[in-house]
Amino acid sequence: MTGFPFPAGAAEVRTVNLDTRAQAVFISGLTSALDVLPFNGTGDNDSYLVLEFSANMLAQQPGRLKLFTSRTETPRILVNNLITPTSLARDAQTGKIFVTEKATGRVMRVNAPHAVMFDYFGMGRSNYLSFDFKSESIRWDILRNPVTSPSQVRHVNFGLPSDYFVFGDFDGDLKEDIGVWREGTTANSQSYFYIMPSSNPNTFIAQPWGIKGDTPVTGDFDGDGKTDFCVTRRVDNQLTWYILPSSGGGFRSITFGLPEDFENFASFDFNGDGRDDLIVTRSDQNGILTHYIGDANTGALILAQQWGNGKDAPAFVLFGDYTGDTRADIAVNYGACYSNPTCDNAGTWWIKETGSNNYTVTKFGIPFNEQTGTGDQPAPGDYDGDGKFDVSVFRPSNTTFYALGSSNGQFIAQYWDGNSTAPPANLMNKPEFQNKSIPTGAFIGLVITKQPDGTFRVKRTFDFFLSKN
């Protein structure tokens, strides 16, 4: 460690050759750096925790704990309010991080960091994904974010078109893993999760979990930084969650929700305790949605929040941390209105902040029209890498992702057709280049629509958009 204590941005982590005593810069741009800890494995592709005594000692600012998913990329700030921190340690079993503070005499516990959703390269930002699931196997086309020149791309064939997509970091290396859940058959009801771990992509995990008729759900329910295997099952007028924790200790079954409720394919943490919670959404006869959040250990109710309705327009429900306070929020994106496609509410994002009465309303994108199957499709994620979900959409007509960066309102536009980052000339006249893929947001969201008979129906957005393609 060099550069302690005063110069901002001058501290470095250096490597030292013990034989020659030669030094080389390993991580630069730090301030009052005190301690560094490899996060997993060995080699240049590791993640690293770096402890800073102060963000600016002359201004008497508190210390910070930074996470470098790559030593050359912008780090994530895990904690920014430490008081005279001195050292750090990590429990590899639970994923928890511990920081000592000199002035307070405390040992602070920090929740295990998690991979950013849809980040397959470990850069701390959601990637741009395209899927081709209309051939013999699913092709995953993943474009690294931020986009470089030449671009960094992964093309992976994994899974069958009849499989369910699953998302998560099952090996705990802060990169999303490619995965599917394959439902059992009438002859053999045993179902399987198939995961290609990013830490060892030359192999795959085949985990038997669930039976025919179950629904796969992913989340880190034990808080160790690794995604757990989970399915839900509707039995005896109850919704039961069967969770296989990655930290061990045997599976647990939790009853939470009703059979008519809809659970997400992905879970989120609503109370900031580092563990993902159980989430179900329920509609009443007037199309008003209520979201119920439960504790994954006990099934106790944490939150019941009304937010969104399908009375005037399709309403897409998209969970995620849009405020950066480590707690998930509820976003609803409204499509084109049934009676007037250009109504005021069409294309708006209503985001309800968890833990307060605050909410924001943002108009963004071309409202999706259920009747014509055209318009933008919500594609939530953290595209600017600031730890917050962005208001973001995918436009199939020109194969482009659009996002409104939450850090500074930056407008982001990225073309990606699964092969190229540069659109061909006269794209609108070349339908073969217009992406018929389903955006990533479809796999983690729900939609409520009004039926011709005046009733309302809740569906997973994957099923909804699949029927429009």
Side-chain angles (χ1 to χ4, degrees), residues 120-121 130-132 137-142 153-159 165 177-179 196 201 203 418:
Y120 292 85
F121 284 86
S130 173
F131 302 95
D132 179 358
S137 62
I138 302 170
R139 193 176 96 161
W140 303 59
D141 301 310
I142 307 172
V153 175
R154 290 182 65 191
H155 299 292
V156 180
N157 288 294
F158 193 80
F165 292 83
D177 302 313
I178 291 173
M196 178 185 290
T203 186

Side-chain angles (χ1 to χ4, degrees), residues 159-305:
L160 303 176
S162 57
D163 292 341
Y164 290 77
F165 292 83
V166 295
F167 299 91
D169 175 14
F170 293 86
D171 55 6
D173 66 348
L174 299 179
K175 300 175 186 177
E176 291 273 279
D177 302 313
I178 291 173
V180 297
W181 184 77
R182 188 166 300 163
E183 186 176 13
T185 64
T186 302
N188 181 5
S189 66
Q190 179 67 69
S191 302
Y192 283 82
F193 281 90
Y194 292 99
I195 308 297
M196 178 185 290
S198 55
S199 57
N200 189 7
N202 294 322
T203 186
F204 68 90
I205 300 167
Q207 176 63 56
W209 198 247
I211 60 175
K212 180 177 175 58
D214 290 348
T215 299
V217 179
T218 58
D220 179 13
F221 298 106
D222 56 4
D224 66 347
K226 299 180 182 179
T227 301
D228 305 315
F229 299 104
C230 175
V231 296
T232 57
R233 188 173 303 162
R234 288 157 172 80
V235 178
D236 298 331
N237 203 35
Q238 293 180 328
L239 182 62
T240 301
W241 302 62
Y242 294 92
I243 302 171
L244 184 63
S246 55
S247 57
F251 83 94
R252 59 177 179 263
S253 61
I254 306 293
T255 298
F256 185 79
L258 302 176
E260 61 267 25
D261 293 340
F262 275 82
E263 64 278 49
N264 258 23
F265 285 143
S267 294
F268 297 88
D269 177 11
F270 275 81
N271 57 6
D273 66 353
R275 297 182 296 112
D276 285 334
D277 303 310
L278 313 180
I279 309 171
V280 298
T281 296
R282 190 176 304 165
S283 169
D284 68 10
Q285 60 184 3
N286 298 313
I288 297 174
L289 297 174
T290 302
H291 314 280
Y292 297 90
I293 315 301
D295 185 273
N297 280 333
T298 65
L301 183 66
I302 295 174
L303 173 70
Q305 178 68 60

Side-chain angles (χ1 to χ4, degrees), residues 68-138:
F68 287 82
T69 50
S70 168
R71 64 187 181 88
T72 59
E73 298 291 336
T74 302
R76 291 160 57 183
I77 307 294
L78 298 183
V79 184
N80 62 1
N81 60 351
L82 297 170
I83 302 173
T84 61
T86 56
S87 63
L88 75 155
R90 178 173 177 263
D91 184 337
Q93 178 66 30
T94 66
K96 297 292 191 295
I97 302 165
F98 300 90
V99 178
T100 58
E101 293 182 333
K102 181 178 180 180
T104 64
R106 300 182 301 187
V107 176
M108 306 295 293
R109 187 181 70 182
V110 180
N111 289 329
H114 294 86
V116 172
M117 183 158 281
F118 309 132
D119 177 14
Y120 292 85
F121 284 86
M123 296 294 102
R125 302 184 184 200
S126 299
N127 300 150
Y128 302 103
L129 272 69
S130 173
F131 302 95
D132 179 358
F133 50 90
K134 296 182 179 179
S135 56
E136 292 184 359
S137 62
I138 302 170

Side-chain angles (χ1 to χ4, degrees), residues 340-414:
N340 176 17
T342 59
C343 67
D344 290 341
N345 209 29
T348 56
W349 289 67
W350 291 69
I351 302 174
K352 175 67 177 65
E353 181 180 336
T354 298
S356 77
N357 293 323
N358 298 335
Y359 67 91
T360 60
V361 181
T362 305
K363 199 174 186 70
F364 188 77
I366 300 174
F368 185 83
N369 190 312
E370 183 185 12
Q371 305 304 318
T372 63
T374 59
D376 294 345
Q377 303 173 4
D382 178 10
Y383 294 95
D384 58 1
D386 67 346
K388 305 175 186 177
F389 268 39
D390 305 310
V391 171
S392 43
V393 297
F394 174 71
R395 188 167 299 167
S397 62
N398 64 1
T399 316
T400 300
F401 291 84
Y402 296 98
L404 190 62
S406 53
S407 57
N408 57 11
Q410 173 191 6
F411 178 73
I412 300 169
Q414 180 60 55

Side-chain angles (χ1 to χ4, degrees), residues 406-465:
S406 53
S407 57
N408 57 11
Q410 173 191 6
F411 178 73
I412 300 169
Q414 180 60 55
Y415 176 89
W416 177 236
D417 62 14
N419 292 295
S420 174
T421 60
N426 302 315
L427 171 65
M428 302 308 292
N429 296 323
K430 297 184 176 182
E432 68 272 19
F433 285 98
Q434 296 177 14
N435 201 314
K436 303 302 181 183
S437 179
I438 292 177
T440 51
F443 301 99
I444 61 168
L446 303 170
V447 60
I448 182 171
T449 57
K450 191 174 183 178
Q451 304 303 297
D453 61 1
T455 60
F456 295 90
R457 184 180 182 184
V458 178
K459 299 178 68 174
R460 294 179 184 86
T461 43
F462 174 80
D463 299 322
F464 177 80
F465 286 131

